[in-house]
Amino acid sequence: MKRIFATLLFVFALSITTHAQADWKNLFNGKNLKGWTKLNGDAEYKVVNGAIVGTTKVDTPNTFLKYNEEFADFILEFDFKVDDSLNSGVQFRSASVDSYRKGRVYGYQYEIDPSKRAWSGGIYDEARDGWLYPLTNPISKAAFKKGAWNHARIEAVGNHIRTWLNGVPCANLLDDRAAKGFVALQVHSIGKPALAGKQICWRNIRICTENIEQNLWDKGAYAEEVNRMNNILSEREKAEGWMLLWDGKTTKGWRGAKLNAFPQKGWIIENGILKVLKSDGGESTNGGDIVTEQKYRNFELKVDFKITEGANSGIKYFVDTELNMGKGSSIGCEFQILDDKKHPDAKRGRNGNRTLASLYDLIPAPINKPFRSGFFNTALIKVNGNHVEHWLNDVKVIEYDRNNQMWNALVQYSKYRVWNNFGNAAEGHILLQDHGDEVWFKNIKIKPLP
């Protein structure tokens, strides 16, 4: 009886294994490039010892090897090995159409990064919106094996994208930019002739598009979630107490800082983006600043912002709209939004305390802050009692404590010394600034704290 039972278990296990294997399709036959097409550049792809080998070439743009089929929901696995001096990636849910940058390949990319930055397994939006999931977790960063074969896994189901590297969770992204597209291998363009002839290799490329749910990995193995869907809260965010401060469609919850209603000019809502419009570069001279109708005490505030060339704006908190009812902006502590390279205010103040992400006119942010020019960036402001932090793209850039002697002395050396007890209020409005330049805002979220 025991022997029969053991035999049945073996047959059952073999049936499960065979069925699971049947759910997968090999995209590379190990012999030639049948089913693949080269796009955009002129770098070489060839098959060597059962692997696809891409070789860099001088004076050619990024070169992609596209698999000639599109996929919506899937699990993709592959092995890769890369020269230490290169950067590469694997595209998924990507596209190439004549109407977009003359056929330039764009879309999600599983990053391959052997540099000291070590962002392999992160998600980049190639030729479109840039970094969606940079890798900051040291455990994920340490998963890459230099000079050896690495195993990558991508799960893309609906708006949920997850990645692993050598079994270690890397990215956990919610995003709705694309629901379907092709898979492609990338040989990155090179700027130095010394990098010519360097290689990136792939093998064991397979995809699962059937019975996906049964083949997904354990949910407990996911990395920290990042939600890039515009003006939508994830279930995790809701459970953690986050709320949308702007709904992405209306002006509900906001008013002019010096008005009882939302400004009738100077601001527009367009495709889920709140835009302050270009005027004369003056402070609150067009539509004027806007503030939340409610006041907030302890909180975490997230705002995605995009700076147009040479622009100036800001996110203020602890704002008291009664302090300044005349010309200029309402008074409060400010997370500075500025084009440091093109706006003259970056060179004013003291020691760079008017640059991007600084506490305006008080505490400077570092010069090497992680700003992505031309893309949306994420500001995070954390307030817990008298302790405040500014974060930019998941990196803390400044922190300070208020309501103490040091803070009050700092204020006395700033433009705010004329305002009694500046920055020490227990609560205040949150403000988006009209400084006469076009700046875009979206994904404005707040998590009130006890």
Side-chain angles (χ1 to χ4, degrees):
M1 177 63 88
K2 290 182 178 179
R3 182 176 296 176
I4 294 173
F5 183 69
T7 301
L8 289 173
L9 281 178
F10 173 77
V11 172
F12 180 68
L14 181 63
S15 174
I16 291 176
T17 302
T18 303
H19 179 72
Q21 290 176 344
D23 295 336
W24 291 84
K25 172 185 176 181
N26 290 321
L27 300 188
F28 169 51
N29 61 22
K31 301 175 181 179
N32 54 49
L33 298 179
K34 182 179 179 181
W36 297 81
T37 301
K38 190 163 71 172
L39 296 174
N40 292 177
D42 198 33
E44 181 185 36
Y45 288 92
K46 61 182 179 180
V47 178
V48 179
N49 297 326
I52 297 176
V53 179
T55 305
T56 57
K57 183 177 180 179
V58 178
D59 297 329
T60 188
N62 289 353
T63 306
F64 300 90
L65 187 65
K66 178 193 77 167
Y67 187 75
N68 300 328
E69 186 178 344
E70 291 192 344
F71 303 100
D73 290 355
F74 61 83
I75 305 169
L76 177 68
E77 292 188 346
F78 55 91
D79 298 333
F80 69 89
K81 184 168 64 173
V82 59
D83 283 341
D84 288 350
S85 53
L86 292 185
N87 176 281
S88 183
V90 172
Q91 299 292 133
F92 60 97
R93 285 187 177 173
S94 295
S96 172
V97 293
D98 292 340
S99 59
Y100 185 83
R101 298 177 61 175
K102 299 180 179 180
R104 174 74 160 85
V105 170
Y106 66 95
Y108 301 120
Q109 180 186 115
Y110 180 105
E111 177 75 2
I112 296 175
D113 177 17
S115 72
K116 290 182 180 180
R117 184 180 64 174
W119 282 7
S120 292
I123 300 175
Y124 184 76
D125 194 24
E126 176 76 16
R128 189 166 47 183
D129 287 335
W131 280 105
L132 302 177
Y133 201 112
L135 225 58
T136 57
N137 187 330
I139 297 176
S140 303
K141 290 159 71 75
F144 176 77
K145 297 183 290 188
K146 283 182 174 288
W149 285 100
N150 292 266
H151 182 71
R153 179 181 174 97
I154 304 167
E155 294 182 354
V157 181
N159 294 328
H160 210 159
I161 301 170
R162 296 171 287 264
T163 69
W164 286 261
L165 177 61
N166 297 320
V168 177
C170 292
N172 182 7
L173 176 70
L174 289 172
D175 191 84
D176 53 6
R177 285 169 176 79
K180 185 178 181 181
F182 59 67
V183 171
L185 315 178
Q186 183 199 54
V187 172
H188 206 287
S189 61
I190 54 174
K192 301 177 181 178
L195 294 178
K198 300 293 183 180
Q199 294 183 331
I200 166 78
C201 309
W202 298 270
R203 69 182 185 188
N204 300 329
I205 308 170
R206 66 175 193 161
I207 198 164
C208 171
T209 58
E210 302 291 335
N211 300 311
I212 294 175
E213 291 295 329
Q214 292 91 324
N215 286 280
L216 293 176
W217 278 5
D218 180 14
K219 292 183 179 180
Y222 294 169
E224 183 178 355
E225 180 186 282
V226 171
N227 180 10
R228 299 289 185 188
M229 294 191 296
N230 286 343
N231 311 309
I232 297 173
L233 293 175
S234 70
E235 293 304 314
R236 178 194 60 81
E237 287 174 316
K238 292 176 184 177
E240 290 179 353
W242 287 91
M243 303 183 297
L244 284 178
L245 204 52
W246 177 57
D247 63 16
K249 300 175 182 178
T250 70
T251 62
K252 183 179 179 181
W254 293 81
R255 64 173 176 84
K258 301 173 185 179
L259 303 171
N260 293 323
F262 198 86
Q264 294 186 0
K265 67 173 185 176
W267 294 81
I268 62 170
I269 297 171
E270 190 172 77
N271 299 322
I273 298 172
L274 179 62
K275 299 180 180 181
V276 56
L277 300 179
K278 175 72 176 176
S279 55
D280 60 0
E283 188 176 293
S284 204
T285 57
N286 191 24
D289 303 337
I290 58 172
V291 296
T292 55
E293 292 177 351
Q294 292 188 35
K295 294 180 180 180
Y296 295 90
R297 181 180 295 261
N298 295 324
F299 57 85
E300 293 184 11
L301 171 70
K302 283 185 179 180
V303 181
D304 288 348
F305 66 91
K306 185 175 181 180
I307 304 174
T308 58
E309 186 175 350
N312 184 352
S313 183
I315 304 164
K316 295 187 180 184
Y317 49 101
F318 301 135
V319 173
D320 184 345
T321 55
E322 303 299 318
L323 278 182
N324 179 25
M325 296 302 292
K327 294 182 179 180
S329 184
S330 289
I331 304 303
C333 297
E334 179 178 353
F335 183 112
Q336 170 77 317
I337 294 177
L338 194 79
D339 183 343
D340 288 350
K341 292 183 178 180
K342 298 291 182 69
H343 198 284
D345 213 27
K347 295 180 174 60
R348 297 170 182 157
R350 289 184 175 87
N351 302 318
N353 64 6
R354 295 188 179 185
T355 58
L356 174 68
S358 297
L359 176 62
Y360 178 75
D361 211 52
L362 292 162
I363 303 175
I367 296 175
N368 60 343
K369 50 188 170 271
F371 173 66
R372 300 191 288 270
S373 179
F375 298 104
F376 272 98
N377 293 261
T378 300
L380 170 62
I381 301 167
K382 297 183 179 183
V383 176
N384 189 357
N386 291 322
H387 185 75
V388 183
E389 299 175 1
H390 285 190
W391 294 65
L392 179 65
N393 296 327
D394 300 319
V395 175
K396 183 165 63 175
V397 290
I398 68 166
E399 60 182 322
Y400 65 93
D401 292 287
R402 59 199 187 102
N403 271 305
N404 57 40
Q405 186 176 358
M406 184 177 294
W407 167 259
N408 294 334
L410 181 66
V411 171
Q412 288 305 308
Y413 282 93
S414 76
K415 65 185 291 185
Y416 297 114
R417 60 185 175 272
V418 299
W419 303 104
N420 185 44
N421 207 33
F422 172 82
N424 288 324
E427 64 179 12
H429 299 279
I430 290 165
L431 176 149
L432 300 179
Q433 188 182 45
D434 168 20
H435 209 298
D437 295 313
E438 184 172 335
V439 177
W440 301 4
F441 301 96
K442 66 177 182 178
N443 296 329
I444 307 172
K445 307 172 185 179
I446 194 164
K447 180 168 72 171
L449 302 175

